[in-house]
Amino acid sequence: MMEGDDPFPRRAMLTAILAVPAIAAMTGKSAYAASDQSNQIKGRKLLTAFFTRSGNTRVLAGTIHRALDTDLFEIKAARPYPEDYEATVEQARQERDRGVEPALAATVPSLGGYDAIFLGFPIWGETAPPIIRSFLSAHDFSGKTIRPFITHGGYGLGTSIEVLGSHAAKARIADPFVLEADQERRTIEQVSAWLKRI
């Protein structure tokens, strides 16, 4: 199952609400003092890279980007997936079953300069989307920390963590942040707690 669809006004409102507690949780300061924080993560060069279809993962990516002042990169296929949901499901299934890694529209120009990469994606067919395998194969993650943030529609992580381990074998894969896409009422608490832990 792919990440659930979510109307834009709710996503926009959620993003605005999330930004303040996430920053406060990272710093232990009020939101007003967050701009002059000096925190272990903030002192590192960070990238938030994400793939999304319906926008749920984009909301989380934007929250992380703003809270930690990361660079932001959207992972896109050179040939976009179909607009039709069922056609996308079928294409992704065929790619998964055949081990296809679809071509990327672009790569990160200087991944070597980053200390850690927040990597976001939805679960498709009980695993990471094929384009995530492409992204991992196209870059050298040696010595990097990958912090996954993953959305799903109720079926959990599937084999996605194994995919990260096999396609970025020289990276450290941190424990993932996982959000069921239709559990928005718990999003603020979960994202804030996760950012505080790391």
mmCIF file of all heavy atoms in Angstrom, residues 19 38 40 48 66 72 81 86-87 99-100 102 109-110 132 147 150-151 170 173 189 194:
data_model
loop_
_atom_site.group_PDB
_atom_site.id
_atom_site.type_symbol
_atom_site.label_atom_id
_atom_site.label_comp_id
_atom_site.label_asym_id
_atom_site.label_seq_id
_atom_site.Cartn_x
_atom_site.Cartn_y
_atom_site.Cartn_z
ATOM 1 N N ALA A 19 6.382 22.768 13.190
ATOM 2 C CA ALA A 19 7.663 23.458 13.187
ATOM 3 C C ALA A 19 8.056 23.965 14.566
ATOM 4 O O ALA A 19 9.193 23.816 14.997
ATOM 5 C CB ALA A 19 7.645 24.605 12.187
ATOM 6 N N SER A 38 22.833 26.140 19.812
ATOM 7 C CA SER A 38 24.067 25.467 19.407
ATOM 8 C C SER A 38 23.937 24.037 19.905
ATOM 9 O O SER A 38 24.078 23.763 21.076
ATOM 10 C CB SER A 38 25.288 26.154 20.004
ATOM 11 O OG SER A 38 25.243 26.107 21.401
ATOM 12 N N GLN A 40 24.401 19.668 18.999
ATOM 13 C CA GLN A 40 25.324 18.754 18.320
ATOM 14 C C GLN A 40 24.906 18.516 16.874
ATOM 15 O O GLN A 40 25.735 18.527 15.977
ATOM 16 C CB GLN A 40 25.389 17.430 19.076
ATOM 17 C CG GLN A 40 26.374 16.460 18.445
ATOM 18 C CD GLN A 40 26.432 15.140 19.187
ATOM 19 O OE1 GLN A 40 25.722 14.929 20.153
ATOM 20 N NE2 GLN A 40 27.279 14.248 18.728
ATOM 21 N N THR A 48 18.372 16.659 3.996
ATOM 22 C CA THR A 48 17.100 15.946 4.018
ATOM 23 C C THR A 48 16.756 15.608 2.582
ATOM 24 O O THR A 48 16.552 16.507 1.756
ATOM 25 C CB THR A 48 15.976 16.800 4.640
ATOM 26 O OG1 THR A 48 16.337 17.129 5.981
ATOM 27 C CG2 THR A 48 14.657 16.037 4.648
ATOM 28 N N ARG A 66 13.283 22.564 8.237
ATOM 29 C CA ARG A 66 13.183 23.832 8.962
ATOM 30 C C ARG A 66 13.715 23.727 10.388
ATOM 31 O O ARG A 66 14.387 24.631 10.884
ATOM 32 C CB ARG A 66 11.739 24.310 8.976
ATOM 33 C CG ARG A 66 11.293 24.887 7.644
ATOM 34 C CD ARG A 66 9.890 25.465 7.738
ATOM 35 N NE ARG A 66 8.917 24.426 8.067
ATOM 36 C CZ ARG A 66 8.396 23.592 7.177
ATOM 37 N NH1 ARG A 66 8.754 23.677 5.907
ATOM 38 N NH2 ARG A 66 7.520 22.686 7.539
ATOM 39 N N LEU A 72 17.864 20.576 1.390
ATOM 40 C CA LEU A 72 16.682 19.796 1.019
ATOM 41 C C LEU A 72 16.815 19.321 -0.419
ATOM 42 O O LEU A 72 17.173 20.099 -1.311
ATOM 43 C CB LEU A 72 15.439 20.676 1.173
ATOM 44 C CG LEU A 72 14.071 20.002 1.099
ATOM 45 C CD1 LEU A 72 13.883 19.004 2.240
ATOM 46 C CD2 LEU A 72 12.966 21.059 1.163
ATOM 47 N N TYR A 81 6.435 8.723 -12.284
ATOM 48 C CA TYR A 81 5.440 7.663 -12.134
ATOM 49 C C TYR A 81 4.088 8.178 -12.628
ATOM 50 O O TYR A 81 3.826 9.388 -12.619
ATOM 51 C CB TYR A 81 5.340 7.226 -10.670
ATOM 52 C CG TYR A 81 6.485 6.335 -10.248
ATOM 53 C CD1 TYR A 81 7.602 6.863 -9.611
ATOM 54 C CD2 TYR A 81 6.461 4.970 -10.501
ATOM 55 C CE1 TYR A 81 8.665 6.052 -9.235
ATOM 56 C CE2 TYR A 81 7.521 4.151 -10.132
ATOM 57 C CZ TYR A 81 8.619 4.700 -9.500
ATOM 58 O OH TYR A 81 9.680 3.887 -9.143
ATOM 59 N N GLU A 86 -3.436 3.288 -9.377
ATOM 60 C CA GLU A 86 -3.311 1.862 -9.688
ATOM 61 C C GLU A 86 -2.193 1.589 -10.690
ATOM 62 O O GLU A 86 -1.483 0.582 -10.588
ATOM 63 C CB GLU A 86 -4.649 1.301 -10.203
ATOM 64 C CG GLU A 86 -5.763 1.301 -9.168
ATOM 65 C CD GLU A 86 -5.437 0.467 -7.933
ATOM 66 O OE1 GLU A 86 -4.691 -0.526 -8.056
ATOM 67 O OE2 GLU A 86 -5.912 0.827 -6.842
ATOM 68 N N ALA A 87 -2.030 2.492 -11.659
ATOM 69 C CA ALA A 87 -0.938 2.332 -12.628
ATOM 70 C C ALA A 87 0.414 2.453 -11.935
ATOM 71 O O ALA A 87 1.364 1.721 -12.253
ATOM 72 C CB ALA A 87 -1.070 3.372 -13.740
ATOM 73 N N GLY A 99 13.730 -6.195 -9.900
ATOM 74 C CA GLY A 99 14.959 -5.578 -9.395
ATOM 75 C C GLY A 99 15.376 -4.347 -10.170
ATOM 76 O O GLY A 99 16.560 -3.989 -10.185
ATOM 77 N N VAL A 100 14.409 -3.688 -10.815
ATOM 78 C CA VAL A 100 14.707 -2.499 -11.618
ATOM 79 C C VAL A 100 14.996 -1.309 -10.707
ATOM 80 O O VAL A 100 14.304 -1.098 -9.710
ATOM 81 C CB VAL A 100 13.519 -2.165 -12.555
ATOM 82 C CG1 VAL A 100 13.710 -0.825 -13.238
ATOM 83 C CG2 VAL A 100 13.340 -3.276 -13.579
ATOM 84 N N PRO A 102 14.925 2.481 -11.349
ATOM 85 C CA PRO A 102 14.622 3.502 -12.361
ATOM 86 C C PRO A 102 15.600 4.672 -12.311
ATOM 87 O O PRO A 102 16.155 4.987 -11.262
ATOM 88 C CB PRO A 102 13.202 3.953 -11.998
ATOM 89 C CG PRO A 102 12.988 3.518 -10.597
ATOM 90 C CD PRO A 102 13.862 2.335 -10.366
ATOM 91 N N PRO A 109 24.684 16.773 -5.861
ATOM 92 C CA PRO A 109 25.989 17.115 -6.442
ATOM 93 C C PRO A 109 27.185 16.801 -5.554
ATOM 94 O O PRO A 109 28.229 16.397 -6.033
ATOM 95 C CB PRO A 109 25.885 18.632 -6.674
ATOM 96 C CG PRO A 109 24.430 18.937 -6.654
ATOM 97 C CD PRO A 109 23.785 17.920 -5.775
ATOM 98 N N SER A 110 27.088 16.985 -4.243
ATOM 99 C CA SER A 110 28.250 16.790 -3.373
ATOM 100 C C SER A 110 27.839 16.104 -2.069
ATOM 101 O O SER A 110 27.945 16.694 -0.996
ATOM 102 C CB SER A 110 28.918 18.130 -3.079
ATOM 103 O OG SER A 110 27.963 19.049 -2.558
ATOM 104 N N ILE A 132 14.106 4.609 -4.455
ATOM 105 C CA ILE A 132 15.007 4.730 -3.303
ATOM 106 C C ILE A 132 16.235 3.843 -3.502
ATOM 107 O O ILE A 132 17.358 4.235 -3.185
ATOM 108 C CB ILE A 132 14.271 4.397 -1.989
ATOM 109 C CG1 ILE A 132 13.197 5.447 -1.700
ATOM 110 C CG2 ILE A 132 15.249 4.287 -0.813
ATOM 111 C CD1 ILE A 132 13.717 6.870 -1.532
ATOM 112 N N ARG A 147 19.458 8.621 8.467
ATOM 113 C CA ARG A 147 18.361 8.631 9.443
ATOM 114 C C ARG A 147 17.051 8.539 8.662
ATOM 115 O O ARG A 147 16.551 9.546 8.165
ATOM 116 C CB ARG A 147 18.408 9.892 10.289
ATOM 117 C CG ARG A 147 19.646 9.984 11.159
ATOM 118 C CD ARG A 147 19.551 11.108 12.166
ATOM 119 N NE ARG A 147 20.701 11.130 13.031
ATOM 120 C CZ ARG A 147 20.850 10.390 14.124
ATOM 121 N NH1 ARG A 147 19.890 9.539 14.460
ATOM 122 N NH2 ARG A 147 21.933 10.466 14.860
ATOM 123 N N ILE A 150 9.924 7.386 7.572
ATOM 124 C CA ILE A 150 9.148 6.545 6.664
ATOM 125 C C ILE A 150 7.664 6.668 6.969
ATOM 126 O O ILE A 150 7.247 6.612 8.126
ATOM 127 C CB ILE A 150 9.595 5.073 6.801
ATOM 128 C CG1 ILE A 150 11.094 4.946 6.481
ATOM 129 C CG2 ILE A 150 8.767 4.160 5.901
ATOM 130 C CD1 ILE A 150 11.695 3.590 6.822
ATOM 131 N N THR A 151 6.864 6.837 5.915
ATOM 132 C CA THR A 151 5.416 6.852 6.066
ATOM 133 C C THR A 151 4.851 5.570 5.460
ATOM 134 O O THR A 151 5.433 5.003 4.531
ATOM 135 C CB THR A 151 4.786 8.074 5.368
ATOM 136 O OG1 THR A 151 5.121 8.060 3.979
ATOM 137 C CG2 THR A 151 5.265 9.374 5.993
ATOM 138 N N LYS A 170 27.899 0.616 3.478
ATOM 139 C CA LYS A 170 28.981 1.263 4.231
ATOM 140 C C LYS A 170 28.493 2.443 5.054
ATOM 141 O O LYS A 170 29.288 3.187 5.622
ATOM 142 C CB LYS A 170 30.087 1.701 3.276
ATOM 143 C CG LYS A 170 30.768 0.518 2.590
ATOM 144 C CD LYS A 170 31.896 0.965 1.696
ATOM 145 C CE LYS A 170 32.570 -0.236 1.048
ATOM 146 N NZ LYS A 170 33.661 0.176 0.141
ATOM 147 N N ILE A 173 22.972 2.980 9.469
ATOM 148 C CA ILE A 173 21.535 3.196 9.357
ATOM 149 C C ILE A 173 20.974 3.368 10.767
ATOM 150 O O ILE A 173 20.979 2.423 11.567
ATOM 151 C CB ILE A 173 20.816 2.022 8.649
ATOM 152 C CG1 ILE A 173 21.526 1.646 7.334
ATOM 153 C CG2 ILE A 173 19.345 2.360 8.434
ATOM 154 C CD1 ILE A 173 21.524 2.702 6.281
ATOM 155 N N GLU A 189 3.552 14.971 18.534
ATOM 156 C CA GLU A 189 4.220 14.300 19.648
ATOM 157 C C GLU A 189 5.327 13.388 19.152
ATOM 158 O O GLU A 189 6.439 13.382 19.694
ATOM 159 C CB GLU A 189 3.173 13.509 20.431
ATOM 160 C CG GLU A 189 3.727 12.722 21.600
ATOM 161 C CD GLU A 189 2.603 11.952 22.281
ATOM 162 O OE1 GLU A 189 1.862 12.579 23.046
ATOM 163 O OE2 GLU A 189 2.467 10.743 22.024
ATOM 164 N N TRP A 194 11.103 12.207 18.513
ATOM 165 C CA TRP A 194 12.177 11.643 17.699
ATOM 166 C C TRP A 194 13.332 12.640 17.558
ATOM 167 O O TRP A 194 14.501 12.293 17.760
ATOM 168 C CB TRP A 194 11.645 11.238 16.339
ATOM 169 C CG TRP A 194 12.673 10.675 15.415
ATOM 170 C CD1 TRP A 194 13.437 9.556 15.603
ATOM 171 C CD2 TRP A 194 13.057 11.198 14.139
ATOM 172 N NE1 TRP A 194 14.258 9.349 14.525
ATOM 173 C CE2 TRP A 194 14.042 10.338 13.613
ATOM 174 C CE3 TRP A 194 12.651 12.285 13.376
ATOM 175 C CZ2 TRP A 194 14.635 10.554 12.380
ATOM 176 C CZ3 TRP A 194 13.230 12.495 12.139
ATOM 177 C CH2 TRP A 194 14.209 11.637 11.652
#
